[in-house]
Amino acid sequence: SKRIIVVGTTSCRTLESLYWAGVKKLLLDKNKNAVGGDDLMTLGQNEWAKLGKREGVSSISAVDALNAIIETKSDNETIKGRTSLMIAPGKYDFKVVDELVTNFHAPDSTLMLLVSAFLGSGEKIRTVYEEAQTLGYRFLSYGDVCYFSKPRRKQ
């Protein structure tokens, strides 16, 4: 029940990718048949959308999915994988990350797509960026930092 705070869009994308790898493993363990690519630790660009439609996936928590990845690993064993996960606004629902610390990214980057998706829309990030420019914040790698909280879902 604790909120997960990540620093950087790469950490965010990594944790979200690990969630889907865990989902693949849990589905494989449950169904004893293939649930995606040949490798559980490889995630295709939109594979999450297909996995998300499978029965029972909506009830898989971040803790359960991440535990599925580490349960057979020793303490000093490295987890390796490959992801092409594309996080874009209006499509992706974050499963692991609740808070994001990141810098102000270039407006035309895929990193901005991730931040826009995290905030729920491109309009929100435009408002934040306009305010940051007005206040003189610095952008890109050596600029100022932002702290974003994932919007809470309306019940």
Side-chain angles (χ1 to χ4, degrees), residues 73-91:
K73 305 287 184 195
S74 66
D75 288 347
N76 61 354
E77 193 173 350
T78 301
I79 297 171
K80 297 186 296 185
R82 181 188 320 242
T83 186
S84 296
L85 177 65
M86 179 64 145
I87 299 177
K91 297 181 179 181

Side-chain angles (χ1 to χ4, degrees), residues 46-117:
N46 293 305
E47 188 175 358
W48 63 269
K50 184 178 176 184
L51 287 168
K53 293 178 183 174
R54 294 194 52 148
E55 184 179 334
V57 169
S58 63
S59 65
I60 297 174
S61 72
V63 171
D64 291 341
L66 295 174
N67 277 336
I69 295 298
I70 64 170
E71 68 187 359
T72 60
K73 305 287 184 195
S74 66
D75 288 347
N76 61 354
E77 193 173 350
T78 301
I79 297 171
K80 297 186 296 185
R82 181 188 320 242
T83 186
S84 296
L85 177 65
M86 179 64 145
I87 299 177
K91 297 181 179 181
Y92 190 79
D93 179 33
F94 287 79
K95 303 297 185 187
V96 179
V97 178
D98 299 303
E99 318 280 335
L100 175 62
V101 178
T102 188
N103 59 328
F104 288 98
H105 300 287
D108 58 349
S109 70
T110 57
L111 302 174
M112 280 298 292
L113 286 175
L114 185 149
V115 175
S116 294

